């Protein structure tokens, strides 16, 4: 009896070790699928429970098995997420993640990680999103994607190709991290001084400013559209918002961002999406529930 208990304990320890080793990859899959740290963590809890209760002696490839379970659970959650997004108070933006120590968030490539790109992924069906993420971020072979999605290898290729076409048509030409950081700093200088002309020069014609507050006081319920309108709003806001604020430079989703104090306990995370044509999206995340990973960061100048 004692020997059997030791064997069971040893088997569970091995299962835990395999799960911990693969956890960054599994989280990376679930997060890219959902744009939510909380939902991704919930999925990983369910994956762990299923892994514990699985006859692991029949599993030849734990990595493939756990990726399969994670992706299928994420697809299920994504299918019901649209209704939650529609009921969300004000604009919805993905929950940011700190990538300063893990630039690719568990993946072979940092694809499908930037906040603006996660928003584009919302336009795909959950199955298209899964196929794209598995292929472009994690470089899974098509036969394995087909197994995970329970489709043929030919259809898996079609899903990835279709997703690429949709995303390419909607995505602005990207800029590199150095240019993004420079542009963010120039934007902050213009915003803090209320320089309307400088802001308009930075903005693309289709610029949008979105504040994700989830209904908290002080967060805009509707996005602002157009370079002139966004610039004038930021300039009008500057005298009562920026004076005395100490900004904290952080990396969120592989790109530069800043934390802006809102009061003694809360912060907002501010970042931009830009192309060679200028800034297309100013993103303010002020919902405290989405900023746990950043709220206690020590201040450092950008």
């Amino acid at each position: 009896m004692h020997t059997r208990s030791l064997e069971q304990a040893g088997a569970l320890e091995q299962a835990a070790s395999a799960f911990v080793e693969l956890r960054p990859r599994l989280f990376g899959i679930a997060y890219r699928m959902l744009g939510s740290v909380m939902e991704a963590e919930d999925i990983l809890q369910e994956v762990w429970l299923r892994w514990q209760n699985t006859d692991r002696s029949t599993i030849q490839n734990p990595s493939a098995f756990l990726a399969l379970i994670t992706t299928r659970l994420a697809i299920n959650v994504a299918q019901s997420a649209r209704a939650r997004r529609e009921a969300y108070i004000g604009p919805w933006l993905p929950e940011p993640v700190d990538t300063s120590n893990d630039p690719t968030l568990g993946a072979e490539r940092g694809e499908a990680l930037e906040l603006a790109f996660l928003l584009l992924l919302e336009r795909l069906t959950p199955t298209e999103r899964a196929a794209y993420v598995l292929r472009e971020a994690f470089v899974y072979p098509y036969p394995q994607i087909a197994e995970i999605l329970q489709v043929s290898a030919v259809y898996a290729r079609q899903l990835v190709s279709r997703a690429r076409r949709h995303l390419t048509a909607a995505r602005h030409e990207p800029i590199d991290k150095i240019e993004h950081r420079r542009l963010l700093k120039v934007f902050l200088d213009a915003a803090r001084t209320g320089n309307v002309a400088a802001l308009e020069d930075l903005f693309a014609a289709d610029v949008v400013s979105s504040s994700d507050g989830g209904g908290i006081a002080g967060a805009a319920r509707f996005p602002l559209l157009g370079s002139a309108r966004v610039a004038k709003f930021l300039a009008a806001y500057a005298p009562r918002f920026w004076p005395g604020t100490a900004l904290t430079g952080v990396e969120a989703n592989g790109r530069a961002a800043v934390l802006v104090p809102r009061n003694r306990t809360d912060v907002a995370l501010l970042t931009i999406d830009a192309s060679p044509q200028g800034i297309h999206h100013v993103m303010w995340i002020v919902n405290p529930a989405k900023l746990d990973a950043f709220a206690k960061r020590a201040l450092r100048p950008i």
Side-chain angles (χ1 to χ4, degrees), residues 4-288:
R4 184 178 179 182
S5 296
L6 289 175
E7 289 176 349
Q8 290 175 336
L12 188 58
E13 185 176 345
Q14 287 181 341
S17 177
F19 182 81
V20 169
E21 181 180 354
L22 294 167
R23 194 183 192 285
R25 168 179 288 259
L26 304 179
F27 178 83
I29 292 172
Y31 173 75
R32 284 170 170 85
M33 284 286 298
L34 301 167
S36 167
V37 172
M38 182 174 65
E39 290 175 345
E41 291 287 3
D42 287 345
I43 282 176
L44 261 60
Q45 287 286 341
E46 179 62 24
V47 172
W48 167 239
L49 291 174
R50 294 193 183 196
W51 181 232
Q52 283 181 285
N53 296 323
T54 295
D55 181 1
R56 295 180 296 277
S57 65
T58 65
I59 306 299
Q60 296 181 348
N61 188 336
S63 176
F65 176 82
L66 290 169
L68 181 151
I69 297 301
T70 300
T71 304
R72 290 184 184 175
L73 288 172
I75 288 173
N76 290 340
V77 173
Q79 287 170 339
S80 62
R82 187 177 300 275
R84 293 195 299 278
R85 305 282 192 263
E86 291 174 352
Y88 195 78
I89 300 174
W92 179 90
L93 294 172
E95 182 177 354
V97 287
D98 184 345
T99 52
S100 55
N101 294 322
D102 185 6
T104 62
L105 202 69
E108 273 70 22
R109 298 199 289 248
E111 184 65 35
L113 185 55
E114 295 172 29
L115 290 173
F117 198 80
L118 289 173
L119 274 176
L120 290 182
L121 288 179
E122 291 281 313
R123 303 184 184 189
L124 304 178
T125 68
T127 305
E128 287 173 341
R129 200 180 316 170
Y132 182 89
V133 165
L134 291 172
R135 181 63 184 174
E136 298 300 323
F138 295 88
V139 201
Y140 278 87
Y142 285 106
Q144 190 170 352
I145 296 173
E147 180 183 358
I148 290 172
L149 300 182
Q150 296 180 301
V151 299
S152 69
V154 171
Y155 190 60
R157 286 181 179 274
Q158 292 175 352
L159 285 169
V160 174
S161 178
R162 193 161 65 211
R164 282 198 196 112
R165 286 198 304 272
H166 289 323
L167 295 169
T168 300
R171 191 181 191 185
H172 302 292
E173 182 184 352
I175 55 176
D176 63 28
K177 289 185 176 184
I178 295 174
E179 176 61 11
H180 180 274
R181 183 178 294 277
R182 184 197 72 80
L183 201 54
L184 176 62
K185 190 173 190 310
V186 175
F187 164 76
L188 286 167
D189 289 341
R192 295 171 86 178
T193 57
N195 190 328
V196 174
L199 286 167
E200 288 198 60
D201 285 343
L202 289 171
F203 291 153
D206 64 350
V207 67
V208 179
S209 177
S210 302
S211 298
D212 179 335
I216 68 169
R221 298 291 180 93
F222 301 97
L224 294 172
L225 310 175
S227 58
R229 188 179 182 194
V230 174
K232 290 176 181 176
F233 172 80
L234 289 172
Y237 202 43
R240 64 179 183 273
F241 182 73
W242 295 107
T245 58
L247 304 184
T248 305
V250 295
E251 182 177 294
N253 295 65
R255 292 279 168 160
V258 292
L259 298 180
V260 184
R262 294 183 59 242
N263 50 48
R264 291 184 178 181
T265 58
D266 295 327
V267 296
L269 184 141
L270 169 63
T271 190
I272 59 172
D273 176 50
S275 77
Q277 285 69 53
I279 296 173
H280 295 274
H281 200 171
V282 181
M283 291 172 278
W284 303 80
I285 300 174
V286 296
N287 185 345

